[in-house]
Amino acid sequence: MDNTPISDALVMRATASAFDAQRGKLPVPGDPHRSPDAVAVARQISELGKLITDLGDEVLFRAADQDQAPHTPRVITSFATVVEPAGEAASALGAVAHQLAFLNQTQSLHDQPDARDAREAAVRVMEDALATADAALRDGANSLHAASATVSPPSVRLQAARSRSTTATPAPGPPPPDVTTSVASPSARIARGR
């Protein structure tokens, strides 16, 4: 296992991209191209389960490694932390699947007032669950992106590309102080020594 800061940061960024990809697959109520569909939701729950397994494997492999690098505990913590939002998103999609099944079962009763109210409530529950899944996946991706930057800061080219992006991440901090200006002149060192 390659456990250099760069390789670990790349795995973290790739996993953050997997969170973003799952977020992009979320159904959107009212959108004819992305409306909630029971099969698509079930498939996404399965994919999130695989993502959780992958996160667990990342934690396990690093925790079991007898020759851990100094940055490894931060990587383990970062992967372990995002299991929760991945699980939260899967759970929220489970609620969506439940509501879709209810809507399917009560389709023939849509003219009855009580059923109509229950069906409207199911749609609201589904919308709230989708919003929860969206927020959880966004939080997971953002957490991994931020953590990867602490393990191995992105390249200057990537930072420049992000600064030009419409969804730019915060600009990098000020450059390090110029070494030539921070070194005291010989006369200043002599004066302080007296």
Side-chain angles (χ1 to χ4, degrees), residues 18-71:
F19 272 80
D20 287 332
Q22 287 298 321
R23 188 171 169 231
K25 292 179 184 180
L26 287 173
V28 178
D31 183 337
H33 303 290
R34 291 180 58 190
S35 63
D37 167 77
V39 173
V41 169
R43 184 176 294 121
Q44 191 164 13
I45 292 169
S46 178
E47 290 172 1
L48 286 168
K50 290 175 187 164
L51 179 60
I52 291 168
T53 299
D54 291 345
L55 292 168
D57 288 346
E58 293 294 345
V59 171
L60 174 62
F61 295 145
R62 284 170 177 78
D65 187 4
Q66 297 299 316
D67 188 27
Q68 291 186 3
H71 70 279

Side-chain angles (χ1 to χ4, degrees), residues 175-186 188-189 192:
D178 185 13
V179 176
T180 58
T181 59
S182 62
V183 176
S185 67
R189 282 189 292 226
R192 278 185 269 159

Side-chain angles (χ1 to χ4, degrees), residues 1 3 12 16 68 86 103 114 129 157:
M1 174 187 212
N3 60 354
M12 294 169 78
Q68 291 186 3
L103 290 172
D114 289 343
R157 288 179 61 191

Side-chain angles (χ1 to χ4, degrees), residues 8-18 145 148-149 152-154 158 162:
D8 283 340
L10 289 173
V11 172
M12 294 169 78
R13 290 177 190 133
T15 307
S17 294
H145 279 300
S148 73
S152 178
L158 179 58
R162 283 187 181 163

Side-chain angles (χ1 to χ4, degrees), residues 53-150:
T53 299
D54 291 345
L55 292 168
D57 288 346
E58 293 294 345
V59 171
L60 174 62
F61 295 145
R62 284 170 177 78
D65 187 4
Q66 297 299 316
D67 188 27
Q68 291 186 3
H71 70 279
T72 300
R74 281 182 286 160
V75 176
I76 291 171
T77 300
S78 298
F79 280 124
T81 299
V82 296
V83 170
E84 182 179 353
E88 186 177 0
S91 177
L93 285 175
V96 171
H98 179 246
Q99 298 308 316
L100 286 170
F102 172 77
L103 290 172
N104 187 39
Q105 291 172 346
T106 59
Q107 179 63 36
S108 63
L109 306 174
H110 70 278
D111 291 337
Q112 296 179 10
D114 289 343
R116 186 173 41 243
D117 291 344
R119 288 173 59 80
E120 288 172 2
V123 169
R124 287 191 300 274
V125 168
M126 194 167 49
E127 289 171 346
D128 288 346
L130 287 170
T132 297
D134 181 75
L137 291 170
R138 183 181 58 245
D139 290 347
N142 289 344
S143 176
L144 283 170
H145 279 300
S148 73
T150 66

